[in-house]
Amino acid sequence: MNISKQTLLIIFIGSLAIFLNFLTFITALPEMFKTTQDAARDFSAYYIGAWRLIHNPTAIYYGGTQPGDYPIYPKPKAYKYLPSFLLVILPFLLLPYHTALLLFNIIQFSLLPVKGYLIYKLLDKKKVSTISIVLFIALFQPLPHLNPFNGELKLVSGLFPHPNFPFLLLSNSYYWNYVDGNSKVFLTFLLISALYFGKIRKVFLSGLIFGFALFDPRFAIITLPPILYFNKAKILTFLAGTVISFSITNIPLFLYQDIGIQFLRATLNYGIVTPLYAYAWIPLFTILAILLAYIKELKDFIVDLLKSINIKIKLR
C-alpha cells in the first residue's frame, strides 16, 4: 500500500505531538504523588465522589473530609460535575487512590493516538497544513493561554523547557492535566468522538456520546455548532440520542438520596462558570481549531438554518 507524502507528514506531526506529550507525562509523574498544602489533586474529587456515591451518597458534593471518608490527604477537593461522570470512576475504587490516579492518567494518555486518528478522519478533506495544525493543538496544546493567579487572569506560555533537556519544550496544559489527574483529555476524546460519528452518519451514537459528555456542559456548549452541522441530516435522531444518554446516566442518580438537590446547591455555591485553568484549554482550543477548520461550512449551515426558520415563520 502506497502512502502519500502528505499522509506521511500528517503521521509525523501527530507522532511528534504524542512523543512530546509522553515526555510531558513522564515529567509530571513525580508531581502526581506529592502532597499539596491545602487539598489533594483534582482526581481526589472524582475518587471521593465515587466513594461517597456508594458509602455516603448524601455528601457527594461536600468539600473537604467527611466522617468515615476514604483517607485522602490533606483533604479531597469538592466534586462539581454532573453525577454521571462518577459512573466512569466507580471501577477505579478497586484500586488505592494514588494507583487509581496513575491508571486514570495512563488511560487518558493512551487515548491520544485514537483521538489523533479521529481528528484526521474529521478533517480528511481539508488541507494538509490545516490537519497538521489541528492535530498538534489537540495532541500537545502548545498555545499561550490565560490562567488564574491570586484572583487575576494572566497570560502564560503554553510551553516550558524540559528540566533535563531544555531544548525540548513540554505542554503546560497537559502537564497540569496529568499532575492533577483532571478529566479534560477524556472529555476532549468524547467530544471529538461525537463529532466523528456525526460526520460518518452514526447520528444516534453521536448523540449518545454527546449526551454523556455533558457531565461538564461548558465545553459541550462550544461544540454545538459543529455537532449540529455534522448531524444536520437527522437532527431529531441526534437529539433523541443526547436526551436518552443524558437521562439514563443522570436522572436515576439525581433522584437517589437527593443527589440532584445536592448538585444544584453546589452549582449555586461554586458558581456556574469556574476559572479556566491550564488543562481547560485542551478541549477549548481543540474544539475551536476544528470549528475554524469548518468555518465556511458552519457559516453556510447557519445562514441556511436562519433562512429556513424565517420561511417557516412567514408561512405561519
Side-chain angles (χ1 to χ4, degrees), residues 11-283:
I11 292 172
F12 172 75
I13 295 295
S15 300
L16 176 63
I18 292 175
F19 171 71
L20 293 173
N21 198 307
F22 175 72
L23 294 181
T24 303
F25 180 92
I26 296 301
T27 304
L29 192 59
E31 297 296 321
M32 297 178 200
F33 305 103
K34 289 185 179 180
T35 303
T36 55
Q37 292 182 352
D38 53 348
R41 301 299 183 188
D42 289 357
F43 185 77
S44 66
Y46 314 152
Y47 192 93
I48 202 64
W51 192 92
R52 289 174 183 170
L53 179 61
I54 296 174
H55 300 282
N56 188 12
T58 60
I60 288 175
Y61 288 94
Y62 282 72
T65 302
Q66 298 295 311
D69 265 353
Y70 179 94
I72 298 177
Y73 302 102
K75 62 180 180 180
K77 287 188 175 179
Y79 183 71
K80 299 177 183 178
Y81 293 156
L82 284 161
S84 54
F85 182 66
L86 296 178
L87 300 175
V88 175
I89 303 299
L90 281 175
F92 290 90
L93 297 182
L94 296 172
L95 301 171
Y97 166 69
H98 282 107
T99 307
L101 187 160
L102 177 60
L103 178 60
F104 184 68
N105 275 335
I106 291 173
I107 291 173
Q108 290 200 102
F109 177 80
S110 69
L111 293 174
L112 294 181
V114 184
K115 187 166 76 169
Y117 174 78
L118 295 179
I119 290 172
Y120 170 72
K121 299 302 288 184
L122 268 174
L123 305 174
D124 58 356
K125 303 299 182 184
K126 301 295 179 180
K127 294 180 179 179
V128 172
S129 57
T130 300
I131 299 173
S132 300
I133 291 171
V134 176
L135 266 180
F136 202 74
I137 291 172
L139 299 177
F140 186 57
Q141 205 317 78
L143 301 176
H145 50 270
L146 295 172
N147 209 43
F149 287 101
N150 300 322
E152 294 183 7
L153 284 176
K154 294 186 178 180
L155 185 66
V156 299
S157 173
L159 301 169
F160 68 96
H162 189 284
N164 298 322
F165 307 100
F167 59 91
L168 290 172
L169 297 176
L170 308 180
S171 169
N172 188 51
S173 291
Y174 271 96
Y175 174 82
W176 285 109
N177 189 87
Y178 293 137
V179 167
D180 277 324
N182 200 276
S183 61
K184 295 301 179 289
V185 177
F186 175 66
L187 175 62
T188 308
F189 173 75
L190 290 178
L191 295 173
I192 291 172
S193 298
L195 291 170
Y196 168 75
F197 284 111
K199 184 175 186 289
I200 65 171
R201 300 297 185 264
K202 302 290 185 181
V203 177
F204 188 69
L205 180 56
S206 174
L208 290 177
I209 296 172
F210 186 72
F212 187 76
L214 287 170
F215 71 80
D216 188 344
R218 296 173 299 170
F219 302 97
I221 289 172
I222 66 169
T223 314
L224 278 176
I227 200 79
L228 292 176
Y229 167 72
F230 285 127
N231 289 291
K232 62 183 177 181
K234 295 183 178 179
I235 193 68
L236 292 180
T237 303
F238 166 75
L239 292 175
T242 300
V243 171
I244 289 171
S245 175
F246 181 86
S247 300
I248 289 176
T249 57
N250 282 290
I251 291 178
L253 294 175
F254 280 150
L255 299 176
Y256 177 61
Q257 297 289 326
D258 291 331
I259 290 176
I261 295 175
Q262 290 184 53
F263 172 72
L264 290 175
R265 287 174 179 168
T267 302
L268 292 173
N269 288 335
Y270 299 124
I272 296 175
V273 179
T274 56
L276 289 175
Y277 294 102
Y279 39 70
W281 296 93
I282 297 172

